[in-house]
Amino acid sequence: MSNTPDLRQKTLDHMKGELHGNALGPFIQDVVYGGNDGIVTTFAVVAGTVGAGMPHYIVIILGIANLLADGTSMATGAFLSLKSERDQYHRIRKEELEEIQEIPEIEREEIVIALEKKGFTGEDLKRATDVITSDDDVWADTMMFEEHGLSLGSTEKPMVHGLITFASFVMFGAIPLLPYIFGIERTSRFGFAIWSTFAALVVLGLTRSIVTRERLFRGPIEIVSVGALGAIVAYGIGVLLKDVVGIVL
């Protein structure tokens, strides 16, 4: 027992400094989602307009419009989505608290069933159930996770998630436009756009691999593959519009 205070302090220090994964981990979904969509949709504008034979200033105008409009749309979408999930969490939790008051025996049995699935039996099952159901907030939180698969932590900081989605979309999505913005030689612009898009996808994939600590080349391969598919489709549609519809400016 003499070591208990020391053990407790060591544990608290460990919990304070413990970091599983990367500091960017909670937001990597926003980075990848925003970045990949920014790269692919902006290159789709570039490839589509080039495939249709449109002049470079159209690429710049449509590209910038896409960056700002789609980036804002994605950011607000991410914000509203998380806000909706958060509102749903609070509504369902309120319903659980009401059921705890109105039909406590059924709600208690639901805890018993959930604990049995985790392997609790006999006295351990009874003690665990008594502890959980002794506090309505703990009881409701347990029901939220076990019955509905919901936790409040996954919906935290909706504004931050929205801003990171927007920043990632604009930062990565601007890359395919750079050859046109900086006036690269006309015959080389699209080639530069292709290679800069490829490089952006690789960087995004590496970022994903580093943050998630997965195999280093898995992230780039997956993201480049998805991005290449979108780029090919976009360029093909541009060519189709030019040849079939006759859109040439």
Side-chain angles (χ1 to χ4, degrees):
M1 294 296 293
S2 59
N3 292 328
T4 299
D6 291 338
L7 178 60
R8 175 57 62 89
Q9 187 59 50
K10 288 180 180 178
T11 303
L12 291 173
D13 292 340
H14 173 73
M15 292 170 64
K16 183 178 180 180
E18 188 175 33
L19 180 63
H20 293 290
N22 187 286
L24 194 59
F27 307 102
I28 188 59
Q29 179 180 354
D30 308 305
V31 173
V32 172
Y33 182 49
N36 184 73
D37 199 83
I39 294 169
V40 173
T41 58
T42 305
F43 184 77
V45 171
V46 174
T49 52
V50 170
M54 297 180 182
H56 78 280
Y57 68 86
I58 298 295
V59 176
I60 296 174
I61 293 171
L62 293 180
I64 293 176
N66 171 77
L67 280 178
L68 297 179
D70 282 7
T72 301
S73 176
M74 288 192 67
T76 54
F79 171 78
L80 292 174
S81 176
L82 288 175
K83 277 282 293 174
S84 298
E85 289 184 32
R86 194 177 184 89
D87 292 343
Q88 180 189 34
Y89 177 92
H90 287 299
R91 179 184 60 79
I92 295 176
R93 189 177 187 278
K94 181 179 178 182
E95 292 175 358
E96 286 293 343
L97 285 169
E98 290 174 353
E99 290 180 346
I100 287 172
Q101 297 299 319
E102 296 170 0
I103 47 172
E105 65 284 353
I106 293 179
E107 293 299 302
R108 179 184 171 88
E109 189 61 24
E110 288 183 349
I111 293 293
V112 171
I113 293 172
L115 292 176
E116 285 178 337
K117 291 180 180 178
K118 295 180 180 296
F120 285 81
T121 58
E123 286 300 315
D124 289 338
L125 174 61
K126 184 179 183 303
R127 279 196 299 270
T129 303
D130 289 342
V131 170
I132 292 172
T133 57
S134 65
D135 185 291
D136 287 356
D137 287 327
V138 174
W139 193 346
D141 289 340
T142 303
M143 292 301 301
M144 289 297 294
F145 184 78
E146 296 296 339
E147 184 177 1
H148 304 286
L150 297 174
S151 64
L152 192 58
S154 62
T155 61
E156 287 183 343
K157 302 178 180 177
M159 180 66 74
V160 176
H161 285 279
L163 290 174
I164 290 177
T165 299
F166 177 81
S168 182
F169 185 99
V170 172
M171 181 177 68
F172 284 100
I175 294 175
L177 289 176
L178 295 181
Y180 295 86
I181 293 174
F182 289 108
I184 300 296
E185 184 181 353
R186 181 181 297 273
T187 56
S188 303
R189 287 172 189 159
F190 189 53
F192 271 100
I194 292 174
W195 283 109
S196 61
T197 298
F198 177 80
L201 289 168
V202 170
V203 170
L204 182 61
L206 287 172
T207 302
R208 174 190 165 193
S209 292
I210 292 170
V211 171
T212 60
R213 297 183 181 179
E214 63 183 8
R215 286 173 292 182
L216 189 61
F217 295 106
R218 178 179 174 181
I221 289 173
E222 290 182 350
I223 289 180
V224 168
S225 300
V226 172
L229 177 61
I232 292 171
V233 170
Y235 185 75
I237 290 174
V239 172
L240 182 66
L241 290 174
K242 178 182 178 181
D243 294 340
V244 176
V245 186
I247 296 180
V248 180
L249 298 179

